[in-house]
Amino acid sequence: MKKALSVIISACLVGAMALSMAGCKAKDDTTKIGIAMPTKSLERWNRDGSFLEEEFKKLGYEVELKYSDNDVTQQVSDIENLISRADISVHVASNEGLPRVVIQYVLTGKPCLVTHLPGIERIVANGVNGEHFPSNCIEILAARLIALMSDSAKLRAYAEEAKRMDLSAWGVETMLETINEAYGIAQR
């Protein structure tokens, strides 16, 4: 039997569309992976959802694939719930600023697999508390996720390093100070 493990994957797009994938511990101590997509109306989500479902099923995982029909409230609720249960967090984005959800992952001690975006290395140190992968390459993501799920020592090491990350620069107080400073400069 496979070791019980939980996984979450989220992809945030412009307009807060999100792909989320989470694994829940199944009764028989295998990994159950759930995939929630934002919509069936875009071919990309259909293709990526089907690819992930097929790949994980080939490996013997139980997979549940759902679509939310662009209900953002439901997506947000699902993602928060999945983060709380996940052992690995994955963020897939092709064009986004620094994703807040990745900060949430690290603050909860989750090892992360993330698309390489500008500034992401300030939160996810490649090979330390997670790994970076190229944008729009679901095959590389799947291979790295499967490898990490199979390497419990690396998973534990990444989780420990995630817990040690100093993210005080992303705290509310620091952000408010920065905003106030920017307004002060603008008023001069």
Side-chain angles (χ1 to χ4, degrees):
M1 283 204 229
K2 294 183 180 8
K3 181 181 161 198
L5 180 69
S6 298
V7 180
I8 178 175
I9 294 180
S10 70
C12 296
L13 302 174
V14 176
M17 294 292 96
L19 145 74
S20 299
M21 176 179 133
C24 308
K25 294 173 184 166
K27 290 179 183 174
D28 62 357
D29 203 33
T30 61
T31 300
K32 179 178 180 183
I33 296 176
I35 303 171
M37 296 289 187
T39 183
K40 284 187 174 183
S41 64
L42 292 176
E43 180 56 32
R44 174 190 176 186
W45 298 120
N46 291 308
R47 184 183 63 243
D48 288 355
S50 294
F51 175 80
L52 289 169
E53 182 179 35
E54 290 170 22
E55 290 301 305
F56 286 113
K57 280 185 174 180
K58 282 184 209 174
L59 294 169
Y61 296 106
E62 181 182 340
V63 179
E64 180 180 352
L65 177 59
K66 292 186 175 187
Y67 293 87
S68 72
D69 297 322
N70 288 322
D71 183 344
V72 175
T73 302
Q74 184 62 49
Q75 291 170 347
V76 169
S77 175
D78 289 345
I79 290 171
E80 288 173 350
N81 184 22
L82 298 174
I83 289 172
S84 71
R85 300 182 327 215
D87 292 321
I88 304 171
S89 298
V90 181
H91 186 79
V92 182
S94 58
N95 57 5
E96 182 176 356
L98 190 60
R100 290 179 297 169
V101 71
V102 176
I103 296 168
Q104 290 176 307
Y105 295 159
V106 175
L107 284 171
T108 58
K110 309 296 184 202
C112 298
L113 297 177
V114 295
T115 306
H116 189 79
L117 297 167
I120 198 74
E121 64 279 350
R122 293 169 44 192
I123 298 170
V124 178
N126 199 27
V128 177
N129 66 333
E131 298 176 10
H132 304 170
F133 59 91
S135 172
N136 290 324
C137 195
I138 199 75
E139 293 82 6
I140 291 175
L141 161 61
R144 291 206 182 155
L145 180 57
I146 291 164
L148 187 54
M149 290 170 64
S150 302
D151 189 342
S152 59
K154 185 181 270 188
L155 183 63
R156 277 192 309 276
Y158 283 177
E160 287 303 315
E161 289 301 322
K163 291 173 189 171
R164 289 189 190 113
M165 290 296 292
D166 178 11
L167 296 180
S168 58
W170 305 105
V172 173
E173 296 82 15
T174 304
M175 287 191 282
L176 289 174
E177 288 174 16
T178 304
I179 291 169
N180 286 334
E181 185 178 316
Y183 281 126
I185 291 171
Q187 291 177 351
R188 290 184 198 162

